[in-house]
């Protein structure tokens, strides 16, 4: 075989191999994207319904993909690092979950803050001789979200034939907070023992209000620790940006070499561990 024929055969083999690898990459990528889209839309549909938001999950998926792509491209243009751009894309992929957890935590907190006044409203209506269903309807008419949404769902379940005990159990499952569990348990005990439901709701309201006040005092006392966690977490990042502006040639070793990538990974791990330890120290459960 002549050298020209050998080079021709080698070129054909390389071309066929590259084509097969490209086809395999596209096939695996399309399957992975399809699975990710199915998982994302299913999770987004459930999470949106939990917040009583009726939006198309496919649009949320499209917005998520656009944000991930735009973030990766901007990072690559600014830093010139493909690895850092891929890391930003992965982080943006986890952003919807973090956003959901934050929104859910704030919603549960707001529900707990609305609960004492709602219980006192139910207590006043019951003492005036109104039934529990009518008192709940009055509460739904005057309350605000998210308490209005949850108790409205309780009323709808009762209209469909669900017992009061089961509807309250569903409420405690949708809003798994200590205050909700306490209220549901108090209502069950009052119904089973035949005690006064109005007095039970009043005592429960005072208990929840006292606990919320204690939590507010603890949050005010631990605010300095939370600020220290943010300072500890952001200080290395700010220093890296300043050094990159002052000494770009020296910092280029961190952005474009394997040793620098390993250093960034260690820094990120230590950052996460430091913030986690500080938040664990200041997290006081009542």
């Amino acid at each position: 075989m002549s050298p020209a024929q050998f080079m021709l055969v080698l070129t054909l083999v390389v071309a066929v191999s590259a084509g097969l690898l490209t086809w395999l990459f596209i096939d695996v990528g399309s399957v992975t994207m399809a699975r990710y889209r199915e998982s994302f839309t299913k999770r987004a549909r459930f999470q949106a319904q939990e917040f009583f938001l009726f939006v198309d999950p496919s649009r949320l998926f499209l917005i998520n993909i656009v944000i991930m792509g735009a973030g990766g491209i901007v990072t690559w243009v600014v830093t010139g690092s493909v690895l850092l751009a891929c890391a930003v894309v992965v982080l943006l992929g986890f952003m919807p979950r973090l956003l959901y957890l934050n929104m859910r935590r704030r919603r549960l907190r707001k529900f707990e803050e609305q609960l004492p006044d709602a219980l006192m409203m139910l207590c006043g209506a019951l003492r005036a001789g109104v039934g529990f269903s009518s008192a709940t309807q009055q509460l739904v008419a005057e309350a605000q979200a998210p308490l209005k949404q949850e108790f409205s769902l309780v009323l709808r379940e009762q209209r469909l034939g669900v017992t009061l005990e089961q509807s309250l159990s569903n409420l405690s499952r949708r809003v798994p907070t200590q205050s909700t569990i306490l209220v549901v348990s108090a209502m069950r005990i009052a119904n089973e023992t035949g005690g006064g439901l109005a007095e039970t709701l009043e005592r429960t309201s005072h208990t929840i209000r006292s606990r919320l006040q204690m939590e507010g005092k603890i949050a005010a006392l631990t605010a300095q620790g939370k600020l220290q966690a943010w300072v500890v977490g952001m200080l290395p990042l700010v220093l890296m940006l300043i050094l990159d502006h002052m000494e770009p040639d020296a910092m280029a070793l961190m952005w474009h070499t394997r040793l620098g990538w390993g250093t960034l990974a260690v820094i990120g791990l230590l950052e996460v561990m430091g913030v986690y330890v500080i938040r664990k120290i200041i997290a006081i459960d009542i």
Side-chain angles (χ1 to χ4, degrees):
M1 182 180 294
S2 62
Q5 292 177 347
F6 176 76
M7 291 300 298
L8 179 60
V9 172
L10 181 61
T11 303
L12 291 175
V13 171
V14 172
V16 172
S17 301
L20 291 176
L21 288 176
T22 304
W23 174 79
L24 180 63
F25 178 77
I26 294 175
D27 184 64
V28 174
S30 61
V31 172
T32 304
M33 182 60 69
R35 291 180 179 177
Y36 176 69
R37 178 174 183 175
E38 181 181 0
S39 175
F40 182 90
T41 53
K42 184 184 298 184
R43 184 174 63 251
R45 182 180 293 106
F46 171 77
Q47 293 172 355
Q49 291 177 356
E50 186 177 5
F51 290 111
F52 292 84
L53 298 175
F54 303 99
V55 295
D56 188 5
S58 59
R59 293 186 178 181
L60 297 178
F61 173 77
L62 181 60
I63 294 174
N64 183 40
I65 293 298
V66 171
I67 292 176
M68 291 171 60
I73 293 174
V74 170
T75 305
W76 177 68
V77 171
V78 173
T79 63
S81 175
V82 178
L83 182 62
L84 188 60
C86 294
V88 170
V89 170
V90 173
L91 291 177
L92 290 176
F94 285 99
M95 282 300 295
R97 296 187 180 183
L98 299 178
L99 181 62
Y100 162 73
L101 292 176
N102 184 42
M103 292 177 61
R104 187 171 187 270
R105 181 171 61 251
R106 295 179 62 180
R107 187 174 187 272
L108 295 179
R109 181 64 182 180
K110 188 174 182 180
F111 183 87
E112 280 194 319
E113 293 175 352
Q114 293 174 333
L115 197 54
D117 294 335
L119 294 179
M120 292 302 298
M121 187 180 298
L122 290 175
C123 176
L126 292 175
R127 285 179 174 174
V130 180
F132 182 78
S133 298
S134 301
T136 307
Q137 291 178 1
Q138 182 180 358
L139 173 64
V140 170
E142 299 181 6
Q144 297 180 353
L147 188 137
K148 177 179 181 179
Q149 297 169 340
E150 297 296 340
F151 276 90
S152 176
L153 189 55
V154 170
L155 284 177
R156 294 178 184 177
E157 289 179 348
Q158 292 183 359
R159 290 170 184 172
L160 293 175
V162 181
T163 62
L164 176 61
E165 182 177 358
Q166 184 62 39
S167 61
L168 292 176
S169 299
N170 296 336
L171 174 63
S172 63
R173 186 173 62 253
R174 293 192 306 270
V175 190
T177 62
Q178 296 181 359
S179 301
T180 308
I181 296 174
L182 179 62
V183 171
V184 171
S185 300
M187 288 184 177
R188 286 180 176 177
I189 293 174
N191 289 330
E192 293 177 359
T193 59
L197 183 58
E199 290 76 9
T200 302
L201 294 178
E202 184 178 5
R203 290 194 299 267
T204 305
S205 175
H206 292 321
T207 302
I208 296 175
R209 197 183 302 275
S210 300
R211 188 173 65 83
L212 291 177
Q213 291 177 355
M214 183 62 66
E215 289 181 352
K217 293 180 180 179
I218 293 176
L221 295 175
T222 57
Q224 182 178 359
K226 295 179 181 179
L227 179 61
Q228 291 176 354
W230 281 104
V231 172
V232 169
M234 296 301 297
L235 183 59
L237 302 179
V238 174
L239 288 177
M240 284 193 295
L241 294 176
I242 294 175
L243 291 175
D244 184 66
H245 180 72
M246 296 176 61
E247 297 290 340
D249 296 334
M251 292 298 294
L253 298 175
M254 180 173 290
W255 307 124
H256 304 288
T257 62
R258 294 183 178 180
L259 181 60
W261 297 340
T263 304
L264 290 175
V266 173
I267 292 174
L269 179 61
L270 294 178
E271 285 279 317
V272 173
M273 291 179 60
V275 174
Y276 176 77
V277 171
I278 293 176
R279 292 188 66 86
K280 277 294 183 181
I281 293 174
I282 64 177
I284 302 176
D285 191 13
I286 301 179

